């Protein structure tokens, strides 16, 4: 018989020397193709053997003082490192009988779980699952549900331990019932939302059929097209006005350039005229002086010549 693979420090090494880390997709795939493994806790606790039963649920087994003890682990996707460490601690402790109340009847208090109690719980569980499956659109048959029920036929335990195991199964079934009730409430909520959404769609379809909504949309589109046409015409008019303004501005700029050129030419003409007028209006004082001195038969250094020079300087200063 081949050796059972062992999980050590969260890692399992398969027969083909493949190393798989727990909590990984490869771990779930490995569980689908294998039925048992040995788990060694990370703590100082003693390890145990995990096996999958026909129901598809995994259980932990460990022999303590000659007696085989069994603990429920869960479905394959629940076999995490955290869960396996928890089971390693639980399987060390002796099971305790405790008072349990199961649903949906919630009328009977169970101190010692019996086969009848478990059967009643499974019946309630099947009904909840069928309702959840019905809401989800995938009905589940009673035969399929019965096939999931864990059995203790293969357990090598004493009669007293069977009572304990049944009690544990009651607790586990209670938890699953609560989980299914939560899923059922969520499914009902989703169903209500879908029904409301369907009613809204049906109302819209009804409006479209009688033409009211379609006519309203058509009128709105026509109104929008009319407004768009008006905006296009206004834009065209503004564009035309802009072109006219640009043309007038160009003409004004040309006329302004012509005026500046004309003014510049006129300024040149005025300067020339001023120069001519200035040249023509200024007498030749030296020539006049020389003619006067010649007529008087005196020189420039004479008293008369000096007096004339002084007079001429005063005349130039006044101009």
């Amino acid at each position: 018989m081949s050796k059972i693979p062992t999980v050590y420090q969260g890692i399992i090494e398969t027969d083909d020397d493949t190393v798989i880390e727990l909590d990984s997709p490869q771990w779930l795939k490995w569980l689908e193709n294998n039925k048992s493994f040995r788990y060694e806790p990370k703590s100082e606790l003693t390890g145990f053997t995990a096996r999958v039963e026909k129901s598809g649920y995994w259980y932990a087994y460990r022999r303590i003082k000659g007696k085989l003890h069994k603990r429920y682990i869960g479905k394959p996707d629940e076999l995490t490192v955290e869960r396996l460490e928890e089971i390693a601690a639980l399987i060390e402790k002796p099971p305790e009988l405790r008072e349990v109340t199961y649903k949906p009847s919630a009328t009977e208090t169970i101190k010692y779980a019996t086969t009848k109690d478990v059967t009643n719980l499974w019946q309630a569980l099947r009904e909840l699952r069928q309702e959840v499956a019905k809401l989800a659109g995938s009905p589940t048959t009673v035969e399929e549900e019965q096939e999931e029920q864990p059995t203790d036929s293969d357990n090598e335990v004493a009669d007293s331990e069977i009572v304990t195991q049944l009690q544990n199964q009651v607790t586990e079934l209670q938890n699953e019932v609560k989980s299914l009730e939560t899923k059922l409430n969520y499914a009902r909520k989703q169903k209500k939302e879908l029904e409301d959404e369907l009613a809204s769609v049906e109302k819209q379809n009804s409006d479209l059929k009688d033409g009211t909504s379609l006519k309203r949309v058509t009128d709105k589109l026509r109104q929008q097209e009319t407004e768009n046409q008006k905006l296009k015409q206004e834009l065209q008019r503004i564009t035309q006005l802009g072109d006219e303004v640009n043309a007038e501005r160009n003409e004004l700029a040309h006329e302004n350039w012509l005026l500046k050129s004309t003014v510049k030419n006129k300024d040149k003409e005025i300067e020339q005229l001023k120069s001519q007028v200035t040249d023509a209006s200024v007498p030749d004082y030296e020539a006049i002086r020389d003619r006067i001195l010649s007529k008087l038969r005196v020189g420039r250094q004479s008293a008369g010549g000096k007096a004339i020079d002084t007079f001429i300087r005063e005349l130039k200063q006044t101009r």
Side-chain angles (χ1 to χ4, degrees), residues 249-263:
R249 185 174 60 184
N250 293 334
E251 291 179 2
L252 289 174
H254 182 66
E255 291 178 0
N256 187 30
W257 179 79
L258 292 175
L259 286 174
K260 286 183 178 180
S261 299
T262 302
V263 169

Side-chain angles (χ1 to χ4, degrees), residues 18 27 48 100 119 130-132 141 157 169 173 184 192-194 199 212 249 258 263 274 314:
T18 301
W27 168 243
F48 58 86
V100 177
T119 303
Q130 288 174 354
E131 188 171 357
V132 171
T141 62
V157 294
Q169 289 182 1
L173 290 175
L184 179 59
K192 181 65 170 58
E193 293 176 354
L194 289 174
T212 303
R249 185 174 60 184
L258 292 175
V263 169
K274 283 182 179 180
E314 291 177 357

